Every structure is written in C-alpha cells, then in structure tokens.
Amino acid sequence: MQAPAEYAAHADVYYVPPPSIWPIVGSVALLTLAAGFVMVLHQMAAGPLLMALGAAILLVMLCGWFGAVIRESLSGKYDAQVDASFRWGMVWFIFSEVMFFAGFFGALFYARNVALSMLADAQLLWPGFTAAWPTAGPGMKTAITPVEAWGIPAFNTLVLLSSGATLTWAHRGLQRGRPLQLKLGLALTIALGVLFIGLQIHEYGAAAFTIRDGIYGATFYLLTGFHGFHVLLGTVMLSVVLMRSLAGHFTPARHFAFVAVAWYWHFVDVIWLLLFIFVYCL
Amino acid sequence: MNSDAIALDDHSHAPSGVMRWLTSTNHKDIGTLYLCFSLLMFFFAGALAMLIRAELFQPGLQLFQPAVFNQLTTMHGLIMIFGAIMPSLVGFANWQVPLMIGASDMAFPRLNNWSFWLLPAAGILLISTFFVPGGALAGGWTMYPPLFIQGGIAYDIAILAVHILGVSSIMGAINIIVTILNMRAPGMTLMKMPMFVWTWLITAFLLVAVMPVLACAITMLLADRNFGTHFFDAAGGGDPVMFQHLFWFFGHPEVYIMILPAFGIVSTIIPTFARKPLFGYVSMVYAVASIAFLSFIVWAHHMFTTGMPLGGQLFFMYTTMLIAIPTGIKVFNWVATLWRGSISFETPMLFALAFVFLFTIGGFSGLVLSLVPVDIQLQDTYYVVAHFHYVLFSGSAMAIMGGVYYWLPKWTGHLYDERLGKIHFWLTAVAFNITFFPMHFLGLAGMPRRIPDYALQFADFNRIASLGAFLLGASQLLWLYIVIKCVRGGAPAGNQPWDGADTLEWTQTSPPPYHSFVIPPLVK
C-alpha cells in the first residue's frame, strides 16, 4: 500500500509482544503471597512457607518478565514510539507513588493539626491532656523521646543527596561515552543507598519508642518504613542497572532503564527531604 | 482505508486453547476477559442483592441473622463496585480505546494482561471470606474503623484483596493513559478524540491519583489490626474520622471513576441514533474535566454527621453543589443532541435515553443530600441507598448494558435479537424504578440502611421494592441469554450496523481482525 507522507513517522509498526506467561505467573505469586501473609498474621503454621513460595514465584516472574523486555530491547524491537510509552508509563507510575506518600503525609498532618487539638479539647474524657507533639495519645502514659534530627537523620540526608549527585555523575558518564565513570558512579550510588539503609536500621534499633507508641510511633515508622522500603527497591534496581552497564547494554543514545531508575531514585530523594523536614525537624 | 486489512503474518490469527486467554497480549481478548469476569461478578453480587431483598420482604428476621445480613450488604457493595462496574468499564476501554484511536493495541500489552489476571486473584480472596471463621466482611464496603478493626480473619483477607485490586487498577489506568497519549493515529489530535476516549483518559487519571490513597488507608487499617499502631484509635492520639477522610478522598473520585466512562458510552450512543454529531463537544470535554477536578474537593460531604466546623460544612456543601453545573452541561448537551435529530429507538438508544432521565434523578437526589441540614437527617437512611442506586444502576450499569448492545455487533459480528433486547430494556427500566423509587420514601420516613429488620410502617414500600428487585434480577437472566445468543450466532452485522456511527471502529470488519490498525489510519 502507499503510505501517505503524513504518517511516515508511524510507518514502523508498534511492537506488540507475543503471548506471555509472566502476567499469570505474577498473579499466582501475589495470590500465594497474600494468602501466606494472612496466615502469618493469624499464626498459622503454613504461613511463612506459603509466603516464601509466593516470593519465590514473584522473583521468577520478575526475572522472566524483565529478561524478556531486555532481550526485546537489545534486539531492536522498540522504536521511538515504544520508548515514549515507557517514559510516559514511568512518569505516571511515579505520580501514583507520589499520591501514596501524600496519603501518609496527609495522615501525619491531620493527626498533628486536627485530631490532636480536638483530643486536647475533650477535657471531660481526658483531663489534663495537652496538645503537644510528639505524643503517644491521651490514653497512653508513655512519654516519647523523638530521634534527634541533627544526628543520624541529618547525616542520612547528606548521604541521599550525595547519592543523587553520584547518580547524575554516572548519567553524564553514560551520555558522554565514559563507561568507567558510569560504573563507578553507579557503584557509589548503590554504596550510599546501602549505607542509608544500614543507618536507618541502626536508628530503628536505637530509637526510644516503637510503632505501638501512639500516633507518633505509628506515623514515624510507617512513613520512614515505606520510604526505607522504596530506597531498598531503588538500590536493587540500581544494582540491576549496574549489572546491565557491566554487560554493555546501554548506549549514549538509548538507555531508558537507567533513566527510569534515576527518576525513581530522585523521587525517593525528594520524599526523604520532606520526611526530614516534617517528621524529624518539625 | 486499505491499511486496516494489513496484518502481521507471524501472529495474525488468534492462538487457540486455554493459553490464548491465560497468556494473551491482545487488547480484544483481554477486553473480553474483563467483560466476562465482570458479568460473572454482576450475577454473583446480584444474587447477594436478591438475598438482601428476600430478607427485607417483610418485617422481622426471616432468613438471616443480622451478622449474616451485614455480610450480604457489604459483599454486595464491594463486589458490585470492584468486581462488576469497574472491570466492565475497563473491558470497554480495552476493546474500544485502541479501536477508536486507531492504535494497534494497548501501549503495554503484557501489563494489560496482568491487570486483568490480578482480578480473579482478588476475587478468590474476597469470596473465600464467606468460608473463613467469623464469616465474610460485615463492616460495610466503606471499611470504617473501629468496627473494621474488630473483625476476624476475613478483614485481613479483604484488605489484601483490595490491595491487589488497587495494583490492577493503577496498572490498567497507566496503560490506558499512555495508550491515549502516545498511540493515537496520526491526525487525531486530543480535541478530535471520541468522547468515550476523553472520559476514559480523565477516569484513568482519577484512578492513578486516588487508588494509592486507598492503599494507604487500608495499610493503616492492617497496621492497626495487626501491628499495634493507633492510627484510628483516639486513646493513642489517632482518630477514626481520619480514616473517613482518607477513604472518601479516594471514595468520591471513585464514584466518578464509575460514572465518567458511562458518560462516554452515552455520549457515543446518543449521536449515533440521533444521527447528529454530539452537541457541544468542547464543553463536554471541559465538563468532564471539571467534574474530575471537583471530585477531589467534595469528599467530606459523606461525613457531615461526624462533626465538622461550620466553615468545613459550608465549603463541602457548596463545592458539592457546584458539581451540578458541569453535570447539567452534559445533560443539556445530550438533550440538545437529540433536538431535531432523526431519532430511532434501538435498544442501545433506549438504554442511553433512560440513562439521561434516570441518572438525572440520581443527580438531583445527590443535590438534595449535599444540603448539610437535610443530609444530617438523611444520613444512613434508604434515601441514600435510592440515590446511589439511581446513579450506579440506572447510571453506570444501564449505560454499560446500552454499550454492550451498541458494540456487541462489532465484537461478535452478529446482530443481537432486537425484540428481546427491547423487552430486556423495558423490564429493566420498569423493575429498576419499582425497586428503588420507593426507597426515597422509606428514607425520608426514616428507615435506616444496613438493618435486616424494620418497623411495621415501612412494610408496604419494602414489599414493593423486593418484588421489583426480584423482577429486576430475573430480567438480567434474559440479558445473559441475549448476549450468549448473539455471541453464538445471528444475522451478520456488517462493518457498520448503525448508520449514524462515525468513529474508527466501524471502519473495521465485524468482528475486527485479531490485530487491527497494525498500520495506523490517517485521521482528517
């Protein structure tokens, strides 16, 4: 057929992958994982086993699925339009993550600025309770000693900000065709990520309160915990990108996997800055 | 367009056997999966509704203990919303969005399949709660603490099921957004897109924005239940009302997630059968966008009785009333599309016209409920039940039925039985009103929702509602028969059975080739 000139840009066919086993494997994995988790929560013996099985299936699925994507990418099946799909997809995924954290920050602000003053007003119920943050709530007698912001958290801020810089440095190396700079930058970023997680675990161990200590403990651990989990995921993804860099998968022009992980890492960075301000400092 | 017929040789025909469905990367197959799954769930949750109405047929406790009755109402709501309405609309998006924008498939075909196959996983978890110690979820679909925190193992299972549904929705929504932004045929600018595609673009945005907030809220529930946190416990400095804020920040956009694609379906059907272009296309687009924006700033109108500063009550009352303006624009435009059109009344058109009329009733009762002093009287009465069934059944569900009749000839290649379709329509429309219109009166008279027993003075209207409900339920079996009959055979539909239709899917054969628009068409 004669392709009109107007769609010369679209003349190459958008790559539609052949049938794939991985999505259904992923569903089985999540179902197993969820069933196992419920059993763990209710102290049933088979729970941990089922969870481990689910996690193993999930791991196989992730390797298989991403393996297929990498093979397709390397064999040149992805044109500029597919590349644009991946970019849009990552942008909207990060937006959904932003909304996820927005919910937890919203809970923190609500608890501090709305619920606390209402509880302090309920003098008939809890005489003498005053609206002071941090608090474990009027019904609990625990006094909260918060984590000192200008100790480990401030240092961790420095660690994460530096990791953003090393990652950008690695990206420069990739764009300018300096493989050593790329690999070194990535390795440094991963090391800083691991350092951050290590310090965070240390901080948890040393903290004078637990997740059970009222609203302060609950918001503190859920916010920092989910952030830490995201750092962990980011570190794993960076490690995959490093391995792919070692395998020579990326060219200065085409390296979306690197860019996607970098976007994710910077997002996690920004969340930490907000955490540092609103959870640790204020 | 000749290019439509061109398909890739290596996988131009459908794979066969069960693996076709388990491993599909084809938007039409996955759309079919979504639609079949949602039909199954529609009948399951519908059966629960029949049990509810059977118990309410007369005062006193006949069939179920109150605890079981609570399970029925909760699971009816949860499964209808997450298992029937939402998946069926995603099914429409899967089938129609690529066809209407001239794309070869969805942007992420494998992810698309995962979005679907997470639904049965979540469905298994949800339905399994009927068989666990303590019984199924009974705290209402809104999952409010502290009741939700006190329940048994079913509640943990449900939280994880909703998490999986959320993952499915977010991935599905991202897929739809990227498909629309990146896969449109050359020449199809945003403002040339069919209205259905516009409504789904905005719906998908709402999904990506609010499903994570629901995930957040139910994660806190899970933590309060199992890890000793005090998010929703006042003694620990938390607040049960905080859950309601988080939930309805998700929940109000959620109701528009269920209605906006229905608007899109109706905006497609009415111009076809009025044989006129949609009146006020641009204002329709802006109206949908305004409704989506407003949905983020009205959530607390669900919580007027929790106690709220006067300023908050006024703010949420006025923003809620504002929604009537873009909605009114839409209703006006649908009516103006009909004005001086050459109207014919095939089954899809009947459903679309009933939608305009009945959804407007639901919209007006919503306006009544937006008034704080009235809402405080009507909170948790059957007036609310009547209101949201007018927007969800005669709104979403009847638009979905109309859409199924409208596109079945395209999907199957066969014409459905028009006579039976019309019978199904009239049975549904009449039975629906018999069922739900009396609930307005029951609510105004003070009958509370979610209670298995009621005072004697409510008996007559309840009996009418129950009889209507049984008729409504039975009528849907006729629908099932019509759909199955159409899938299995019937008069050939031809490429374009509706002569007023002008969107791209009608340029394809019926059913369309397994891979359509492999080379994108040119849109002028």
Side-chain angles (χ1 to χ4, degrees), chain A residues 1 4 6-7 10-11 13-24 26-27 30-31 34-35 37-38 41-42 44 58 61 65 68-69 72 78 81-82 84-86 88-89 92-93 95-97 99-100 103-104 106-107 110-111 115-116 118-119 126 135-140 211-216 218-219 222 226, chain B residues 1-3 6 8 11 15 19 22-25 104-111 113-114 117-118 121 124-125 152-153 156-157 160 164 170 174 177-178 181-184 186 205 208-209 212-213 215-216 219-220 222-223 225-231 234-239 241-242 245-246 249 515 518-522:
Chain A
M1 65 155 266
E6 285 91 330
Y7 58 90
H10 285 268
V13 170
Y14 191 89
Y15 178 70
V16 177
S20 167
I21 189 75
W22 301 118
I24 185 86
S27 293
L30 287 192
L31 180 60
F37 187 47
V38 171
L41 291 178
H42 291 265
M44 292 182 213
L58 191 64
M61 176 278 240
W65 194 330
V69 173
E72 287 163 4
Y78 296 160
Q81 198 186 3
V82 177
S85 285
F86 281 133
W88 274 123
W92 287 102
F93 169 67
F95 174 65
S96 80
E97 291 272 45
M99 293 307 293
F100 184 67
F104 286 121
Y110 183 89
L116 197 56
M118 289 197 290
L119 286 172
W126 285 297
T135 179
M140 302 172 80
I211 195 168
R212 289 181 200 82
D213 287 329
I215 189 68
Y216 182 80
T219 50
L222 222 63
F226 269 110
Chain B
M1 180 108 329
N2 294 331
S3 60
I6 297 175
L8 285 185
H11 45 101
M19 292 311 272
L22 289 181
T23 65
S24 180
T25 50
S104 54
D105 207 295
M106 298 288 281
F108 306 111
R110 274 179 294 232
L111 200 64
N113 192 30
W114 201 24
W117 279 106
L118 284 174
I124 290 170
L125 286 174
I153 187 170
D156 290 319
I157 298 174
L160 294 173
I164 292 177
I170 291 170
I174 290 175
I177 294 178
V178 176
L181 292 182
N182 192 39
M183 306 277 287
R184 294 192 313 281
F205 167 76
V208 181
V213 179
C216 185
T219 301
M220 290 184 215
L222 191 76
R225 284 175 53 81
N226 297 294
F227 307 135
T229 57
H230 296 86
F231 285 108
D239 186 353
V241 176
M242 180 166 86
H245 281 292
L246 286 165
F249 185 82
H515 292 282
V518 173
I519 291 172
L522 186 66

Side-chain angles (χ1 to χ4, degrees), chain B residues 435-453:
Chain B
T435 310
F436 292 103
F437 208 81
M439 290 186 190
H440 291 112
F441 308 136
L442 286 170
L444 288 169
M447 178 170 163
R449 64 191 281 210
R450 291 173 172 160
I451 306 284
D453 191 5

Side-chain angles (χ1 to χ4, degrees), chain A residues 20-30 32-33 51-71, chain B residues 114:
Chain A
S20 167
I21 189 75
W22 301 118
I24 185 86
V25 173
S27 293
V28 172
L30 287 192
T32 315
L33 205 54
M51 269 190 87
L53 182 66
I57 302 174
L58 191 64
L59 196 65
V60 170
M61 176 278 240
L62 288 171
C63 293
W65 194 330
F66 280 107
V69 173
I70 290 168
R71 275 192 304 280
Chain B
W114 201 24

